[in-house]
Amino acid sequence: MTKNNDTITISESIRKSAIGLAIFAFFTAGIISVTQYLTKETISSNEKNFEARLLLSLLPDGYGAEQILNNAQRFSDFKLTSLDLLNVEDSEVFYQLKDDQGRVETLLLPAVAPEGYTEAIRLVIGISTQDGHIIGARVTKHKETPGLGDRIEITKSDWMLGFNDKSLQNPQPENWKVKKDGGDFDQMTGATITPRAVVKAIKQALEFFEQNKAALTNS
Protein backbone atom coordinates (compact mmCIF):
# COMPACT_ATOMS: atom_id res chain seq x y z
CA MET A 1 0.00 0.00 0.00
CA THR A 2 2.79 2.36 0.79
CA LYS A 3 4.25 2.02 -2.69
CA ASN A 4 0.86 2.70 -4.32
CA ASN A 5 0.25 5.66 -2.06
CA ASP A 6 3.68 7.05 -2.90
CA THR A 7 2.91 6.63 -6.62
CA ILE A 8 -0.41 8.44 -6.23
CA THR A 9 1.23 11.23 -4.23
CA ILE A 10 3.92 11.73 -6.90
CA SER A 11 1.32 11.71 -9.68
CA GLU A 12 -0.82 14.27 -7.87
CA SER A 13 2.24 16.41 -7.23
CA ILE A 14 3.18 16.33 -10.93
CA ARG A 15 -0.39 17.11 -11.93
CA LYS A 16 -0.63 20.03 -9.51
CA SER A 17 2.74 21.37 -10.70
CA ALA A 18 1.62 21.14 -14.33
CA ILE A 19 -1.62 22.96 -13.53
CA GLY A 20 0.30 25.58 -11.60
CA LEU A 21 2.69 26.14 -14.51
CA ALA A 22 -0.21 26.36 -16.94
CA ILE A 23 -1.95 28.98 -14.79
CA PHE A 24 1.30 30.92 -14.42
CA ALA A 25 1.90 30.82 -18.18
CA PHE A 26 -1.70 31.93 -18.82
CA PHE A 27 -1.48 34.93 -16.52
CA THR A 28 2.01 35.84 -17.76
CA ALA A 29 0.79 35.80 -21.36
CA GLY A 30 -2.19 37.87 -20.31
CA ILE A 31 -0.03 40.47 -18.58
CA ILE A 32 2.27 40.71 -21.61
CA SER A 33 -0.71 41.10 -23.96
CA VAL A 34 -2.29 43.80 -21.82
CA THR A 35 1.03 45.62 -21.48
CA GLN A 36 1.59 45.53 -25.24
CA TYR A 37 -1.94 46.80 -25.84
CA LEU A 38 -1.59 49.64 -23.34
CA THR A 39 1.84 50.72 -24.59
CA LYS A 40 1.22 50.19 -28.32
CA GLU A 41 0.04 53.77 -28.87
CA THR A 42 2.93 55.21 -26.86
CA ILE A 43 5.50 53.11 -28.74
CA SER A 44 3.97 54.10 -32.07
CA SER A 45 4.02 57.77 -31.07
CA ASN A 46 7.65 57.56 -29.93
CA GLU A 47 8.66 55.85 -33.18
CA LYS A 48 6.89 58.56 -35.18
CA ASN A 49 8.61 61.31 -33.19
CA PHE A 50 12.00 59.65 -33.67
CA GLU A 51 11.35 59.27 -37.39
CA ALA A 52 10.30 62.92 -37.64
CA ARG A 53 13.47 64.10 -35.89
CA LEU A 54 15.61 62.05 -38.27
CA LEU A 55 13.77 63.37 -41.30
CA LEU A 56 14.07 66.95 -40.06
CA SER A 57 17.82 66.49 -39.59
CA LEU A 58 18.11 65.89 -43.35
CA LEU A 59 16.46 69.15 -44.33
CA PRO A 60 17.23 72.86 -44.12
CA ASP A 61 15.62 74.94 -41.38
CA GLY A 62 12.03 75.90 -41.99
CA TYR A 63 10.45 72.48 -42.22
CA GLY A 64 8.23 71.15 -39.44
CA ALA A 65 7.65 67.55 -38.39
CA GLU A 66 3.94 67.70 -39.20
CA GLN A 67 4.68 69.20 -42.59
CA ILE A 68 6.84 66.19 -43.42
CA LEU A 69 4.65 63.47 -41.97
CA ASN A 70 1.53 64.92 -43.58
CA ASN A 71 3.19 64.47 -46.96
CA ALA A 72 3.62 60.73 -46.58
CA GLN A 73 2.86 58.68 -49.71
CA ARG A 74 2.58 54.93 -50.17
CA PHE A 75 4.64 53.28 -52.87
CA SER A 76 1.60 51.18 -53.76
CA ASP A 77 -0.25 54.32 -54.91
CA PHE A 78 2.30 54.98 -57.67
CA LYS A 79 3.25 53.13 -60.82
CA LEU A 80 6.85 52.29 -60.02
CA THR A 81 9.50 49.89 -61.26
CA SER A 82 12.38 48.15 -59.49
CA LEU A 83 11.10 48.70 -55.94
CA ASP A 84 13.34 45.79 -55.01
CA LEU A 85 16.28 48.21 -55.29
CA LEU A 86 15.09 49.71 -52.00
CA ASN A 87 14.38 46.31 -50.43
CA VAL A 88 11.10 47.61 -48.98
CA GLU A 89 7.45 46.57 -49.31
CA ASP A 90 5.09 48.57 -51.50
CA SER A 91 2.94 49.23 -48.42
CA GLU A 92 5.71 51.40 -46.94
CA VAL A 93 5.73 55.17 -47.21
CA PHE A 94 8.03 57.82 -48.60
CA TYR A 95 7.77 61.60 -48.28
CA GLN A 96 7.35 64.35 -50.84
CA LEU A 97 8.45 67.87 -49.88
CA LYS A 98 7.07 70.63 -52.11
CA ASP A 99 8.04 74.20 -52.88
CA ASP A 100 5.69 77.20 -52.81
CA GLN A 101 4.37 76.31 -56.27
CA GLY A 102 3.46 72.80 -55.18
CA ARG A 103 6.29 71.14 -57.07
CA VAL A 104 8.07 68.22 -55.40
CA GLU A 105 11.58 69.42 -54.65
CA THR A 106 12.77 66.76 -52.22
CA LEU A 107 12.06 63.07 -51.72
CA LEU A 108 12.73 61.16 -48.52
CA LEU A 109 13.01 57.49 -49.41
CA PRO A 110 13.29 54.52 -47.06
CA ALA A 111 15.81 51.83 -47.93
CA VAL A 112 17.08 48.61 -46.42
CA ALA A 113 20.65 47.29 -46.56
CA PRO A 114 20.10 43.54 -46.12
CA GLU A 115 23.80 42.69 -45.87
CA GLY A 116 24.45 44.30 -42.49
CA TYR A 117 26.92 42.58 -40.18
CA THR A 118 24.24 41.27 -37.81
CA GLU A 119 20.95 42.02 -39.59
CA ALA A 120 19.38 44.37 -42.11
CA ILE A 121 20.07 48.10 -41.72
CA ARG A 122 17.21 50.53 -42.32
CA LEU A 123 17.89 53.98 -43.74
CA VAL A 124 16.17 57.09 -45.00
CA ILE A 125 17.73 59.04 -47.87
CA GLY A 126 16.91 62.62 -48.85
CA ILE A 127 17.24 63.25 -52.60
CA SER A 128 16.88 66.53 -54.49
CA THR A 129 14.53 66.10 -57.43
CA GLN A 130 16.30 68.85 -59.37
CA ASP A 131 19.55 67.05 -60.07
CA GLY A 132 19.35 63.81 -58.06
CA HIS A 133 21.99 64.67 -55.48
CA ILE A 134 21.76 63.41 -51.91
CA ILE A 135 20.69 65.98 -49.35
CA GLY A 136 21.49 63.60 -46.54
CA ALA A 137 21.18 60.01 -45.36
CA ARG A 138 20.46 58.60 -41.92
CA VAL A 139 20.26 55.15 -40.35
CA THR A 140 16.90 54.60 -38.68
CA LYS A 141 17.43 51.08 -37.32
CA HIS A 142 20.36 48.70 -36.96
CA LYS A 143 22.05 46.20 -34.66
CA GLU A 144 25.63 46.64 -35.76
CA THR A 145 28.56 45.99 -33.44
CA PRO A 146 28.96 48.66 -30.73
CA GLY A 147 32.16 50.64 -31.17
CA LEU A 148 32.62 49.43 -34.76
CA GLY A 149 29.68 49.20 -37.14
CA ASP A 150 27.46 51.40 -34.98
CA ARG A 151 29.44 54.41 -36.18
CA ILE A 152 26.87 54.65 -38.95
CA GLU A 153 24.81 56.49 -36.32
CA ILE A 154 25.10 60.23 -36.83
CA THR A 155 25.42 60.71 -33.06
CA LYS A 156 28.55 58.54 -32.95
CA SER A 157 30.46 59.64 -36.04
CA ASP A 158 30.16 61.87 -39.08
CA TRP A 159 30.69 58.98 -41.53
CA MET A 160 27.15 59.25 -42.91
CA LEU A 161 27.78 62.91 -43.78
CA GLY A 162 30.12 61.67 -46.50
CA PHE A 163 27.07 60.99 -48.69
CA ASN A 164 25.95 64.62 -48.70
CA ASP A 165 25.87 66.08 -52.24
CA LYS A 166 26.73 62.72 -53.82
CA SER A 167 24.88 61.45 -56.88
CA LEU A 168 25.16 58.70 -59.51
CA GLN A 169 27.53 61.01 -61.39
CA ASN A 170 29.52 61.98 -58.29
CA PRO A 171 31.18 59.56 -58.00
CA GLN A 172 30.60 57.50 -61.12
CA PRO A 173 28.51 54.32 -60.57
CA GLU A 174 31.54 52.02 -60.68
CA ASN A 175 33.09 53.95 -57.79
CA TRP A 176 30.12 53.57 -55.47
CA LYS A 177 32.08 51.16 -53.28
CA VAL A 178 34.27 51.37 -50.19
CA LYS A 179 37.95 52.04 -50.82
CA LYS A 180 38.88 48.49 -49.86
CA ASP A 181 36.84 47.35 -52.89
CA GLY A 182 38.34 49.99 -55.19
CA GLY A 183 35.70 52.66 -54.64
CA ASP A 184 35.59 56.21 -53.29
CA PHE A 185 34.01 55.75 -49.87
CA ASP A 186 35.89 55.36 -46.62
CA GLN A 187 35.39 52.21 -44.63
CA MET A 188 35.53 52.15 -40.85
CA THR A 189 38.54 50.87 -38.96
CA GLY A 190 37.75 47.28 -38.04
CA ALA A 191 34.44 47.29 -39.87
CA THR A 192 34.05 46.87 -43.62
CA ILE A 193 30.85 44.85 -43.95
CA THR A 194 28.64 47.58 -42.46
CA PRO A 195 29.80 50.51 -44.64
CA ARG A 196 29.87 48.26 -47.71
CA ALA A 197 26.19 47.41 -47.14
CA VAL A 198 25.22 51.05 -46.55
CA VAL A 199 27.04 52.33 -49.65
CA LYS A 200 25.33 49.71 -51.80
CA ALA A 201 21.88 50.51 -50.38
CA ILE A 202 22.26 54.26 -50.95
CA LYS A 203 23.52 53.74 -54.50
CA GLN A 204 20.50 51.54 -55.22
CA ALA A 205 18.19 54.22 -53.80
CA LEU A 206 19.67 56.69 -56.29
CA GLU A 207 19.15 54.18 -59.10
CA PHE A 208 15.54 53.70 -58.00
CA PHE A 209 15.02 57.46 -58.03
CA GLU A 210 16.48 57.82 -61.53
CA GLN A 211 14.23 55.05 -62.87
CA ASN A 212 11.10 56.46 -61.25
CA LYS A 213 11.69 60.21 -61.07
CA ALA A 214 8.62 61.15 -63.13
CA ALA A 215 6.25 59.02 -61.08
CA LEU A 216 7.75 59.93 -57.69
CA THR A 217 7.48 63.67 -58.33
CA ASN A 218 3.89 63.46 -59.53
CA SER A 219 1.91 65.26 -56.85
Side-chain angles (χ1 to χ4, degrees), residues 15 38 43 45 62 70 82 112 121-122 133 147 154 164 171 178 186 195 205:
R15 182 172 61 84
L38 293 176
I43 292 171
S45 176
N70 288 340
S82 304
V112 174
I121 302 166
R122 293 192 63 89
H133 78 269
I154 196 68
N164 292 3
V178 295
D186 291 331

Side-chain angles (χ1 to χ4, degrees), residues 82-141:
S82 304
L83 187 61
D84 59 309
L85 286 171
L86 297 180
N87 291 300
V88 299
E89 301 294 329
D90 65 359
S91 58
E92 293 197 40
V93 301
F94 67 97
Y95 301 90
Q96 294 177 327
L97 281 301
K98 302 174 183 178
D99 61 19
D100 294 337
Q101 284 72 47
R103 296 171 298 195
V104 179
E105 60 180 355
T106 303
L107 291 171
L108 301 176
L109 300 177
V112 174
E115 300 97 349
Y117 186 72
T118 54
E119 64 175 40
I121 302 166
R122 293 192 63 89
L123 307 104
V124 60
I125 300 128
I127 301 175
S128 167
T129 63
Q130 303 305 309
D131 57 9
H133 78 269
I134 293 174
I135 294 172
R138 297 287 185 273
V139 171
T140 60
K141 185 178 181 182

Side-chain angles (χ1 to χ4, degrees), residues 54-65:
L54 280 176
L55 296 176
L56 281 171
S57 73
L58 296 175
L59 302 169
D61 292 338
Y63 287 96

